[in-house]
Amino acid sequence: MGRFAGRVAFITGGSRGIGKAIAELFAEEEAKVAIIDLNEEALYATANELKEKGYAVYAKVADVTDASQVEQVVKEIVDTFGAVDILVNNAGVIRDNLLFKMTDADWETVMDVHLKGSFYCARAVQKYMVERKYGRIINISSTSALGNRGQANYATAKAGLQGFTKTLAIELGKYGITTNAVAPGFIETDMTKATAERIGISFEQLIQASVAQIPVGRTGKPSDVAHAVAFFADEKSSFINGQVLYVAGGPKN
Ligand SMILES: NC(=O)c1ccc[n+]([C@@H]2O[C@H](COP(=O)([O-])OP(=O)(O)OC[C@H]3O[C@@H](n4cnc5c(N)ncnc54)[C@H](O)[C@@H]3O)[C@@H](O)[C@H]2O)c1
């Protein structure tokens, strides 16, 4: 039997990259999976892929920065699958720029998606989790939380998510709900492809430059992050709460 048999996992930004890998792994391990995303085409492509493999999937185009959409989605997940046991706050964006060039919109968009989005989703699921005295909340942070040139907005948001994680761990622990964060380093996704484009080098060049800094001598794959998320989401991880796990092939990067 899969590790998540009988569980319902809600993954934001689940249509591609890291979120898709998390949805796939959870579905393989027998969770019912709910994914939302702004990218309609990628969302339904992923949902159909999973359904073709026989997995139970809920998918909806929704924006994590809109509280009423998030509330509605969580209600629909519970109506469809009977519960929401696992939340993965994965939806993310970058708007990189050096401080002197960073616009108000660059700052606000990144804060809204990562912080407001995670807040809305956690607030919406907690009432169902508290009722059932069970939950796993996993927030996707980043090694950028430790500081990263060109990412004052993103680094601040990802560090903020770590404080959010530790606070939810304290508030919700007594209800059987654990909250942890996974902080990836360089993972090969569309997000890092966009970074290569922005700095004017090929994705291969960016990978090579990154590998030189990574102790295990390779960049990360979305599945590397999914495995770490599954570790926190496991029922047996009930004494692990408020932790940040760096998944970066070394202590940073
Ligand atoms: N790729 C990396 O190297 C890396 C490293 C550390 C952390 N992360 C984090 O991992 C998470 C996933 O990143 P990824 O690399 O897979 O990126 P990605 O761009 O491939 O995927 C992010 C997904 O989030 C969705 N999304 C964005 N805004 C949304 C919103 N308002 N509402 C709903 N969905 C929204 C996007 O449409 C996209 O499908 C992000 O939180 C990112 O910050 C990525």
Side-chain angles (χ1 to χ4, degrees), residues 94-103 106-108 110-111 114-115 144-160 198:
I94 46 174
R95 294 288 184 275
D96 296 356
N97 247 326
L98 291 173
L99 182 61
F100 76 103
K101 285 195 282 191
M102 189 169 283
T103 66
D106 292 335
W107 180 269
E108 279 157 18
V110 169
M111 291 303 149
H114 297 273
L115 290 178
S144 294
L146 304 169
N148 199 24
R149 186 178 165 80
Q151 291 195 317
N153 49 2
Y154 185 81
T156 303
K158 292 305 200 184
R198 183 183 59 82

Side-chain angles (χ1 to χ4, degrees), residues 12 36-38 60-71 73 91 112-113 117 120-121:
T12 68
I36 62 166
D37 209 291
L38 286 179
K60 185 157 182 171
V61 175
D63 185 344
V64 294
T65 70
D66 182 320
S68 61
Q69 287 185 30
V70 168
E71 290 289 334
V73 160
D112 281 0
V113 176
Y120 287 157
C121 291

Side-chain angles (χ1 to χ4, degrees), residues 12-20 36-39 42 62-65 89-94 113-114 140-144 154 158 161 182-192 222 225:
T12 68
S15 73
R16 69 179 198 188
I18 293 169
K20 180 179 179 184
I36 62 166
D37 209 291
L38 286 179
N39 183 335
D63 185 344
V64 294
T65 70
N89 279 315
N90 166 81
V93 290
I94 46 174
V113 176
H114 297 273
I140 305 299
S141 178
S142 167
T143 49
S144 294
Y154 185 81
K158 292 305 200 184
L161 267 182
V182 172
F186 187 104
I187 310 295
E188 289 180 35
T189 69
D190 287 312
M191 187 176 274
T192 38
V225 181

Side-chain angles (χ1 to χ4, degrees), residues 92-214:
V93 290
I94 46 174
R95 294 288 184 275
D96 296 356
N97 247 326
L98 291 173
L99 182 61
F100 76 103
K101 285 195 282 191
M102 189 169 283
T103 66
D104 292 10
D106 292 335
W107 180 269
E108 279 157 18
T109 302
V110 169
M111 291 303 149
D112 281 0
V113 176
H114 297 273
L115 290 178
K116 220 190 237 182
S118 300
F119 163 58
Y120 287 157
C121 291
R123 189 178 59 181
V125 299
Q126 60 79 32
K127 59 175 176 282
Y128 298 102
M129 290 180 173
V130 166
E131 266 171 27
R132 285 162 53 91
K133 299 257 184 305
Y134 185 83
R136 297 280 180 269
I137 298 173
I138 297 111
N139 298 316
I140 305 299
S141 178
S142 167
T143 49
S144 294
L146 304 169
N148 199 24
R149 186 178 165 80
Q151 291 195 317
N153 49 2
Y154 185 81
T156 303
K158 292 305 200 184
L161 267 182
Q162 298 191 10
F164 182 60
T165 300
K166 288 174 189 292
T167 301
L168 295 196
I170 292 165
E171 288 188 16
L172 300 175
K174 67 178 169 207
Y175 302 108
I177 302 165
T178 63
T179 309
N180 292 285
V182 172
F186 187 104
I187 310 295
E188 289 180 35
T189 69
D190 287 312
M191 187 176 274
T192 38
K193 276 184 196 146
T195 300
E197 238 169 68
R198 183 183 59 82
I199 59 183
I201 60 172
S202 72
F203 194 40
E204 269 316 305
Q205 286 171 314
L206 182 62
I207 288 172
Q208 275 168 23
S210 303
V211 166
Q213 309 293 320
I214 300 174

